[in-house]
Amino acid sequence: MPVGRRSPRGRRRWYLVHAPGREQATCDKVRKLMPPDLLEDAFVMRKERWRKYHGVWSLYPVPMYHEYFFVVTRDVLALDKELSKLTFPARIAKADGSSHFAPLSKGAQEWYEGVLDGERVIRTSTAVIEDGVLHVQSGPLIGQEDRVVKVDRHKRFCFVDVDGGFAECVPMDVPFKS
């Protein structure tokens, strides 16, 4: 997960919260218990995954980060203090080997805001490969062909460069290749 510098109070930033066990249930509890002036939003980011069941392919949403959900806040220190008072585990993630909170980098946050739908799900994109060139025809990755690092046609996903070195695995169906 790419991280930016520690954000000052007042900037709307996304932070990962570790929720051992059940991320959706913990996210729902946090959303209900936190004051709205500290917590603008809380959500489990999901993506569609292809599954073949009884010979039929279908899509279903799955959490992108097992045991984690996102919070949106302008005051991470005050929110962390409130989270520490809860009777269940839900703590804001810190940078590796650091005591500082790790907000999502500005570039990554903007990319996710652009590809997530209203339910905070990254839907599948459909593309074709013609003469070795990828052309996204539908879905959130339209116009982002230059970000696609690798495509796995068999498993129906691709890796996308989110923010200069961090690649996210997202759903993509490529039914045609010439």
Side-chain angles (χ1 to χ4, degrees):
M1 185 65 36
V3 294
R5 296 190 338 206
R6 187 168 168 227
S7 74
R9 287 186 201 142
R11 289 186 60 207
R12 185 177 188 267
R13 299 299 299 266
W14 291 16
Y15 294 86
L16 268 177
V17 175
H18 185 233
R22 300 173 49 203
E23 61 271 344
Q24 187 64 58
T26 304
C27 178
D28 293 342
K29 287 180 190 176
V30 166
R31 193 180 304 115
K32 289 177 187 175
L33 296 172
M34 291 296 110
D37 61 321
L38 286 182
L39 181 68
E40 291 185 33
D41 198 4
F43 58 92
V44 174
M45 192 183 301
R46 297 175 297 149
K47 64 182 171 184
E48 288 183 323
R49 179 169 290 157
W50 286 94
R51 172 177 64 180
K52 192 172 186 179
Y53 186 70
H54 293 297
V56 178
W57 284 99
S58 61
L59 289 166
Y60 64 102
V62 296
M64 289 184 66
Y65 304 107
H66 179 67
E67 294 191 346
Y68 286 91
F69 65 93
F70 283 88
V71 292
V72 180
T73 186
R74 295 179 188 275
D75 190 348
V76 67
L77 297 174
L79 180 60
D80 184 63
K81 185 175 180 181
E82 289 299 312
L83 288 173
S84 71
K85 296 176 185 177
L86 298 175
T87 59
F88 53 90
R91 297 310 306 258
I92 297 173
K94 296 184 178 180
D96 289 336
S98 172
S99 61
H100 297 287
F101 295 107
L104 199 61
S105 71
K106 183 179 177 185
Q109 181 177 326
E110 289 172 354
W111 184 82
Y112 284 115
E113 287 172 338
V115 297
L116 291 169
D117 69 5
E119 297 174 5
R120 303 292 173 103
V121 177
I122 297 179
R123 302 293 176 183
T124 194
S125 293
T126 303
V128 295
I129 299 174
E130 295 174 331
D131 298 323
V133 179
L134 180 72
H135 300 283
V136 180
Q137 298 176 319
S138 66
L141 296 181
I142 288 179
Q144 298 190 41
E145 289 87 351
D146 58 325
R147 288 182 177 256
V148 176
V149 178
K150 180 181 177 182
V151 175
D152 186 324
R153 291 183 63 220
H154 176 71
K155 294 183 181 176
R156 296 183 176 186
F157 69 80
C158 68
F159 287 98
V160 178
D161 183 1
V162 172
D163 189 23
F166 170 66
E168 183 67 78
C169 179
V170 296
M172 176 181 280
D173 187 20
V174 183
F176 176 77
K177 178 180 178 182
S178 68

